[in-house]
Amino acid sequence: MSRIVEALNRLCEDTTTISNLPPEIEAFLDIDDSTEYTDQIKIIKAAGDIFFKELQDIESKENDWDYLDDIYDMKRNFYKKYIDFAKKCKEMSSIKGITGYGSNDFLRIKIMEMCRTIDYNFPYGWKK
């Protein structure tokens, strides 16, 4: 009976805490409005590269028989790990205040497009 309880506890525990996030993702989550736009672009680019690398890794293993039993755990862990990242990207993808006359509008639009790409490709259906 105790082994069953231990197994259920392992299934219910949250293995993805903020300490398991890569430093690039943590840096992105800590971005505030006072950060320079060029620095924001560098941080978003680095975080997006890590995000897409892990996403492509999971998607490449999806049809592999060796990972048949583990693929749903991998998807669930990915979802839990990056959901806050995706939410922040969704929030940043609708930047207000782009007038077309500002000197930083090009950088704001670039940030907005990078965040939209990440939000669009986030697998919200992996919520299982």
Side-chain angles (χ1 to χ4, degrees), residues 25-109:
I25 303 295
E26 287 182 17
F28 174 77
L29 293 174
D30 293 337
I31 285 180
D32 57 356
D33 292 336
S34 64
T35 309
E36 292 289 323
Y37 292 125
T38 54
D39 294 336
Q40 285 184 19
I41 290 173
K42 291 176 188 173
I43 292 170
I44 294 169
K45 175 89 169 97
D49 289 344
I50 289 183
F51 168 80
F52 283 116
K53 180 181 174 191
E54 192 167 336
L55 179 63
Q56 288 173 350
D57 182 49
I58 291 173
E59 288 176 344
S60 70
K61 293 176 182 175
E62 199 165 18
N63 294 325
D64 191 351
W65 286 93
D66 294 336
Y67 298 100
L68 187 63
D69 295 333
D70 300 328
I71 193 67
Y72 290 109
D73 290 334
M74 293 167 71
K75 287 180 177 182
R76 183 180 66 238
N77 290 337
F78 180 87
Y79 182 87
K80 287 181 180 179
K81 185 176 183 179
Y82 289 107
I83 186 64
D84 293 330
F85 175 65
K87 287 178 182 177
K88 177 129 182 178
C89 284
K90 187 172 192 169
E91 175 186 314
M92 289 183 72
S93 68
S94 60
I95 297 174
K96 306 290 187 241
I98 297 176
T99 62
Y101 297 108
S103 61
N104 292 327
D105 283 350
F106 170 73
L107 299 174
R108 287 182 179 177
I109 291 171

Side-chain angles (χ1 to χ4, degrees), residues 1-12:
M1 183 71 167
S2 65
R3 291 189 329 193
I4 294 171
V5 171
E6 288 176 20
L8 287 173
N9 286 339
R10 279 195 309 262
L11 283 174
C12 294

